Structure formats: structure tokens, C-alpha cells
């Protein structure tokens, strides 16, 4: 049974969705194990262009079973909208190819509200939340103050549970933030409209996965965001509120005995970062604007312009380590084709010294990038499909990264389409 995790090595938006879409061909099951609808995977295939938020990228492949594991932030309202959108473009999604863990916790309507209220309170100290309710959701999950998806099948206890939560939550909403309270009528509406619509997909995914394992089915774990956004190992507090690392894949999958044996880390050929927080290699001005435009670096969920910079070797090497990546997919190499010379952040300068080590989060703000330049290739490589057909300078760039991050680069992506890929194994 093949078990592979596809994870982001950097700040997210590395092109994981594109890699999952490509690789689902070889897998029977795709599992989302953490995060919620706060980021977006962009997938382009013969059915069109899709921005997926919560749905696993395997939904486009007939025969693939997609699972939302217990580790995800399950927002019924967003999921219903996403299902409608994707189905309207001709993608078939039924309880046969989408299964939601009954142990996934529900993101409640007040989580989004609290996200918004807290960002307003923080004002210029805000973390740059996408306001999808993710931080309030995970805080409540760990406080054991939310609802499990499987509870929707137990109306006899569900209503009382929601009433208790509401009583507690309204104290915070009204007394701390001075906002309007939620009512049971609002909750009933939410149950009738959003929750009813996702009920058919909810089941014991642990049992399903145990059976699948017995039958030797192969599994792909799909992560959201990247190493540097991991709650425990990232650039805290500018992280997300869940674990984006492959080590969490088993826990969040719905069947903790299922462990990835291969970890494909996705690295973009340059750096991007959405939102606030330290970004040592950041470029500004015209140079940055050009890279942003060439790479279409605008958030899939929010449309926000992404901050951009050269590839950051220090952060990438750290990202590879925390993911325990066994191989790398390098994406968007084609975007750099316009550059005469390619900048790379090869080290950081910190406290008057040059370092290769990724610093403790509080030190990142005072770190400065050490930039070196590589020869560009100045030719369109988006049609290249064989390693040997890449220009020498492009191959040298890839080989240099591989050596520095100490992990083999087995895929080089030269375009967003499924087939725009160079295999190196
Ligand atoms: P994810 O969240 O990691 O899946 O990343 P996003 O979907 O937010 O961002 C990746 C973007 O880059 C998407 O718009 C992809 O279609 C696009 N993309 C992925 N790989 C390539 C590539 O090799 N070349 C180009 N030009 N675009 C790519």
C-alpha cells in the first residue's frame, strides 16, 4: 500500500494542488488532514480552472475517494458553497467519492465573526487572518467547545450541546467585543441549510480507511499551507492554527495507523508569502512587481497580492527538515525565464554574523538576506518535458537548489497545466 504525503515546504502557495492533481492518477484515496477553507489550491485541468478551499484535489479523478479527515476545520457553510460551485462545472461529487470524518469538528458561524472582531481589536497589530474563523475554531476545538460532525446524527443531544456552547460564546461576543449575540433560531437555520446538506457525506472514515488498508489501496495525504506556517514549527505567531507538517498526516486523517512512507515537499522556484509576519528575503519595488505579475501571485482565496522574493535557501532547507521530505517537486521554474540573472537568498545575516540556520521566530525580524546571483536562461521553457532539454543554466539552478536543501528534486514543473511537468526519476 503506497502512502504519500504532499506538503508545502515554505509559506504555502507552492503549487501543492497542482501536484496532487497530477499524482492522484496513481492513488485510490486523497485525504485532507488539517486546515480549513482559509487557503486555496488552484487546479487547472480539462474540466476548467478551479480554486479549491476545503475539497481534496482528488475530486476531479473518477474513482478516487476523497476524505476530509478529523484534523480539518469543517465549515459546513463554505463547504456547501464550494460543492455547489465545483458540481456546477460538471464534476460529480457524491457520498461515494467524498467522505467526511464523523470526528471532524464543525466550524461554527461565530468562529468567522470572532476572527473578524479580533482583527478589528488588534488593528495595526493584526496577524493578517483570512477571517475564515480558523484560529477561533482550533482554540475552541482544543478547549473541547465545538461540535463533532457525527453529532448531527444525534439530534437528541445536539441541540442541548449547541445551547450550552451558545451561552458561553455569547458571553465573549457581547461582553468582550460588544457585538450582537447569536440566537438558537440562527443556529437552527444553519443546521437546516448548511449542515443538512453535508450530512450525506459524513461517516466513520476510520472504518473505511482500515478496510482500504486491508485491500492494499494507496493513499495520498494533501496538506494545506507550508512548513513555515506550522503552528509548532513555523514563524509563530504568524503561523496558521493547525499542523501543516507531514508528521500530523496520520493524526488528522481519520485513521492514525496510516503513516506516509513518502513525503513530497513542494517548493516554488522563488518565494512568496501572503499576509503579515517576517519574510527575510522579501523584494520590493519594480523588481517585486514584475515577479508578482509574471507568477500571477495573488491569493487564491482573498485576491491579496502576495509578497515575493528570491528562493530562500535557509528557510527551504529548514522546511525540508521539519517535513522530513523524501523528495521535492520544484514548481514555477518557467516564471523565472524572463530574468537575466536570478537572485537567491543563500544565507542570513544576523547579529553581525552570517548563518545557515533558520532563526528562532523572534529573531527573524532582524535577519537580513545574503543574496547571490545565478545566470538566467532567458528562454521560454514552458514547453519542455525532458530534463535534458532544459537550458544548461536552468539545470544548474535546479541542481544547486537540490544540493543546498539536501533532498532530491524529482519533479520540475514548468506550467500550471497537468502535463507541464518534467520527471527526474
Ligand atoms: P497551493 O495552495 O500550494 O496549491 O498553491 P496555489 O494554488 O495557491 O498557487 C499555485 C499557483 O501556481 C496556481 O495558480 C497554479 O496553477 C500555479 N502553478 C503551479 N505550478 C506552476 C508552474 O509550474 N508554472 C506556473 N506558471 N504556474 C504554476
Amino acid at each position: 500500500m503506497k502512502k504519500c504525503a504532499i506538503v508545502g515546504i515554505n509559506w504555502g502557495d507552492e503549487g501543492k494542488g497542482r501536484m496532487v492533481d497530477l499524482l492522484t492518477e496513481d492513488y485510490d484515496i486523497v485525504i485532507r488532514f488539517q486546515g480549513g477553507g482559509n487557503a486555496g489550491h488552484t487546479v487547472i485541468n480539462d474540466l476548467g480552472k478551479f480554486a479549491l478551499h476545503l475539497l481534496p484535489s482528488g475530486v476531479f479523478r473518477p474513482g478516487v475517494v476523497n476524505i476530509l479527515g478529523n484534523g480539518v476545520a469543517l465549515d459546513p457553510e463554505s463547504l456547501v458553497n464550494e460543492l455547489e460551485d465545483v458540481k456546477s462545472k460538471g464534476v460529480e461529487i457524491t457520498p461515494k467519492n467524498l467522505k467526511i470524518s464523523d470526528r471532524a469538528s464543525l466550524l461554527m458561524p461565530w468562529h468567522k465573526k470572532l476572527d473578524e472582531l479580533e482583527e478589528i481589536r488588534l488593528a495595526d497589530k493584526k496577524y493578517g487572518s483570512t477571517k475564515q474563523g480558523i484560529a477561533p475554531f482550533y482554540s475552541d476545538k482544543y478547549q473541547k467547545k465545538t461540535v463533532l460532525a457525527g453529532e448531527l446524527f444525534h439530534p437528541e443531544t445536539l441541540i442541548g450541546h449547541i445551547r450550552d456552547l451558545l451561552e458561553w460564546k455569547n458571553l465573549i461576543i457581547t461582553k468582550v467585543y460588544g457585538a450582537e449575540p447569536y440566537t438558537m433560531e440562527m443556529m437552527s437555520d444553519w443546521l437546516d441549510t448548511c449542515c443538512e446538506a453535508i450530512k450525506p457525506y459524513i461517516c466513520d472514515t476510520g472504518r473505511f480507511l482500515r478496510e482500504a488498508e486491508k485491500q492494499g489501496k494507496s493513499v495520498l495525504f494533501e496538506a494545506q499551507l507550508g512548513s513555515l506556517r506550522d503552528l509548532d514549527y513555523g514563524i509563530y505567531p504568524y503561523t496558521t492554527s493547525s499542523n501543516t507538517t507531514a508528521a500530523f498526516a496520520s493524526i488528522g486523517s481519520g485513521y492514525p495507523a496510516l503513516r506516509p512512507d513518502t513525503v513530497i515537499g513542494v517548493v516554488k522556484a522563488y518565494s512568496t508569502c501572503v499576509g503579515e509576519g517576517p519574510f527575510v528575503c522579501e523584494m520590493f519595488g519594480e523588481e517585486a512587481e514584475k515577479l508578482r505579475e509574471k507568477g500571477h501571485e495573488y491569493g487564491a482565496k482573498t485576491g491579496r497580492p502576495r509578497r515575493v522574493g528570491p528562493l530562500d535557501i535557509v528557510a527551504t532547507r529548514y522546511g525540508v527538515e521539519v517535513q522530513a521530505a523524501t523528495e521535492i517537486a520544484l514548481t514555477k521554474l518557467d516564471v523565472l525565464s524572463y530574468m537575466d540573472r536570478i537572485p537567491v537568498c543563500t544565507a542570513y545575516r544576523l547579529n553581525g554574523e552570517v548563518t545557515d540556520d533558520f532563526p528562532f521566530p523572534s529573531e527573524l525580524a532582524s535577519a537580513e538576506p545574503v543574496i547571490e546571483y545565478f545566470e538566467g536562461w532567458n528562454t521560454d521553457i514552458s514547453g519542455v518535458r525532458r530534463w535534458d532539454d532544459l537550458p544548461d543554466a536552468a539545470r544548474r539552478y535546479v541542481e544547486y537548489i537540490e544540493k543546498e536543501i539536501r533532498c532530491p528534486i524529482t519533479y520540475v514543473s514548468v506550467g500550471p497545466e497537468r502535463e507541464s511537468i518534467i520527471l527526474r526519476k
Side-chain angles (χ1 to χ4, degrees):
M1 184 189 195
K2 256 192 319 187
K3 286 168 286 182
C4 171
I6 297 195
V7 295
I9 294 295
N10 303 100
W11 297 266
D13 306 318
E14 297 92 348
K16 294 176 293 297
R18 172 253 187 288
M19 288 309 298
V20 179
D21 182 57
L22 175 79
L23 295 174
T24 42
E25 194 171 38
D26 302 329
Y27 291 85
D28 303 308
I29 299 166
V30 180
I31 308 178
R32 275 284 309 269
F33 59 89
Q34 48 78 225
N38 51 327
H41 286 318
T42 312
V43 176
I44 300 176
N45 55 34
D46 38 12
L47 296 168
K49 182 174 177 179
F50 299 86
L52 295 183
H53 301 298
L54 196 55
L55 286 174
S57 311
V59 288
F60 305 111
R61 295 274 191 190
V64 170
V65 177
N66 296 274
I67 292 191
L68 292 174
N70 55 288
V72 303
L74 186 68
D75 179 351
E77 191 184 351
S78 305
L79 184 58
V80 167
N81 292 336
E82 193 174 336
L83 279 169
E84 261 172 30
D85 179 45
V86 174
K87 282 179 174 179
S88 74
K89 292 178 183 152
V91 181
E92 201 181 349
I93 303 182
T94 68
K96 267 190 116 159
N97 70 343
L98 175 67
K99 297 185 190 294
I100 301 173
S101 167
D102 54 1
R103 287 183 170 270
S105 299
L106 298 185
L107 190 141
M108 310 296 281
W110 52 72
H111 289 137
K112 278 188 204 148
K113 184 76 188 166
L114 283 166
D115 226 349
E116 195 185 311
L117 292 169
E118 179 58 9
E119 286 281 292
I120 294 170
R121 190 193 69 79
L122 284 165
D124 58 348
K125 290 187 185 146
K126 66 183 192 299
Y127 298 142
S129 164
T130 53
K131 302 198 187 76
Q132 297 299 306
I134 303 298
F137 163 83
Y138 278 107
S139 322
D140 282 2
K141 174 175 171 173
Y142 282 87
Q143 284 201 74
K144 300 162 290 177
K145 287 203 190 298
T146 181
V147 173
L148 295 181
E151 289 185 57
L152 297 176
F153 296 104
H154 298 278
E156 68 289 356
T157 49
L158 175 69
I159 300 301
H161 191 188
I162 293 183
R163 189 170 288 118
D164 289 347
L165 292 176
L166 196 64
E167 202 179 294
W168 167 72
K169 209 77 230 189
N170 274 341
L171 286 176
I172 299 167
I173 292 169
T174 57
K175 297 219 183 324
V176 175
Y177 293 105
E180 288 297 309
Y182 280 79
T183 61
M184 273 315 278
E185 287 69 43
M186 289 159 117
M187 298 315 294
S188 292
D189 274 357
W190 174 74
L191 285 171
D192 292 346
T193 50
C194 308
C195 298
E196 272 307 309
I198 62 162
K199 254 167 96 175
Y201 304 98
I202 300 171
C203 63
D204 181 350
T205 53
R207 184 183 299 162
F208 172 81
L209 288 171
R210 248 187 334 265
E211 262 321 296
E213 189 173 39
K214 277 192 211 142
Q215 292 166 16
K217 302 266 192 223
S218 50
V219 177
L220 196 61
F221 299 92
E222 177 180 17
Q224 181 210 35
L225 296 164
S227 312
L228 302 168
R229 300 290 189 194
D230 182 271
L231 178 62
D232 288 87
Y233 296 99
I235 52 171
Y236 190 87
Y238 299 99
T239 58
T240 192
S241 302
S242 65
N243 291 100
T244 59
T245 34
F248 191 77
S250 311
I251 302 280
S253 71
Y255 181 42
L258 214 55
R259 300 211 183 99
D261 40 38
T262 312
V263 177
I264 302 180
V266 186
V267 174
K268 204 183 282 191
Y270 51 93
S271 301
T272 60
C273 169
V274 165
E276 317 290 321
F279 184 39
V280 177
C281 66
E282 185 162 11
M283 291 189 327
F284 299 94
E286 226 172 87
E287 202 187 3
E289 197 47 55
K290 190 141 186 211
L291 180 54
R292 187 175 300 119
E293 252 172 51
K294 293 279 181 191
H296 306 290
E297 297 298 349
Y298 300 89
K301 178 83 192 177
T302 56
R304 286 188 287 189
R306 293 177 181 150
R307 297 155 76 192
V308 298
L311 184 79
D312 181 333
I313 294 288
V314 183
T316 306
R317 192 189 295 120
Y318 174 76
V320 168
E321 278 168 11
V322 298
Q323 292 287 12
T326 54
E327 52 190 280
I328 297 295
L330 184 73
T331 60
K332 298 192 116 168
L333 189 65
D334 54 304
V335 172
L336 302 184
S337 299
Y338 76 94
M339 289 184 177
D340 294 330
R341 53 179 204 158
I342 299 181
V344 176
C345 171
T346 55
Y348 289 172
R349 204 169 283 113
L350 184 65
N351 304 323
E353 286 183 14
V354 171
T355 178
D356 279 346
D357 284 335
F358 192 68
F360 184 74
S362 336
E363 291 180 320
L364 278 169
S366 40
E368 285 170 20
V370 174
I371 304 289
E372 287 181 39
Y373 289 90
F374 286 74
E375 186 194 344
W377 43 92
N378 262 309
T379 171
D380 180 8
I381 56 167
S382 57
V384 176
R385 297 290 175 265
R386 290 179 46 230
W387 174 248
D388 290 342
D389 295 340
L390 274 178
D392 287 352
R395 273 183 299 171
R396 276 199 296 275
Y397 182 65
V398 176
E399 283 165 349
Y400 163 79
I401 299 168
E402 180 173 66
K403 183 168 120 298
E404 289 298 313
I405 64 174
R406 302 181 198 127
C407 195
I409 296 177
T410 49
Y411 299 88
V412 178
S413 171
V414 291
E417 305 80 13
R418 209 177 254 177
E419 66 283 359
S420 306
I421 196 92
I422 299 168
L423 282 181
R424 276 186 82 211
K425 33 184 184 182

